[in-house]
Amino acid sequence: MTAIFRKEINAFFSSLIGYVVIGVFLIVMGLFLFVFPDTSLINYGYATLGPFFELAPNVLLFIIPAICMRAFAEERQTGSIELLVTRPLRDIEIVMGKFLACLTLVVIALLPTLLYYYSLYQLGEPVGNIDTGGTIGSYLGLLFLSMAFVAIGLLASSLTTNQIVSFLLALTITFWCYFGFDYLASLPVFYGNGDAFITSLGMQEHFRSLGRGLIDSRDVIYFLSITAFFILLTVLSLERRKW
């Protein structure tokens, strides 16, 4: 698994993929949070990273499927997947190696955003006048959300040999898992009759819950379960070759 992890990381940074992904993420976030006046943190009047944590999941919806789309689709297209699976590796080790590599790239992209927190911490009046607990919870929420998105992206990549199809499929599933249940719960038929339950099935509700600064075990278990579920589906998808 370590060999797979290193191979994927080297593939990201030996080409433009890793640098483009990190650069695009940071440029988009920087423009929205410090340049565009309607969403600028400077114009908010008080120290908060709320706009960042509202915008980041929307950007990751596109960034993570782009990172994961080549994971298995490219190897199946070139035929190198057959060489990979003949190695003394279990399918779960192959999947987890790629999962950790993709997640590491996302974490590397998120690390520079800690400068946003430091900037607002220093600009607060008085210095440090920012909700640190909520910020830590929101960053943990982004990490768990990224784990789920990466697992979905790997599943999509394992289902096709076309990277564009993989990207679109992952984008559709992640969009539904993040926004879809909220839209479904807003339908009139669910008002006062299970709308809260349907909302709780979506990722957005649990991400917001972590952002309040209280790390609820239910939110952590939810994201870990979703991640494990899609990783299991990816392993089963790889095992189709044996059928």
Side-chain angles (χ1 to χ4, degrees), residues 191-205:
Y191 282 164
N193 185 26
D195 56 332
F197 171 74
I198 293 175
T199 300
S200 68
L201 296 177
M203 295 181 185
Q204 190 173 35
E205 176 67 16

Side-chain angles (χ1 to χ4, degrees), residues 158-178:
S158 71
L159 294 175
T160 177
T161 60
N162 189 299
Q163 295 186 43
I164 302 300
V165 173
S166 170
F167 172 79
L168 294 176
L169 180 59
L171 179 62
T172 301
I173 298 175
T174 51
F175 184 89
W176 170 257
C177 288
Y178 190 74

Side-chain angles (χ1 to χ4, degrees), residues 32 89 210:
F32 275 96
L89 292 168
L210 288 171

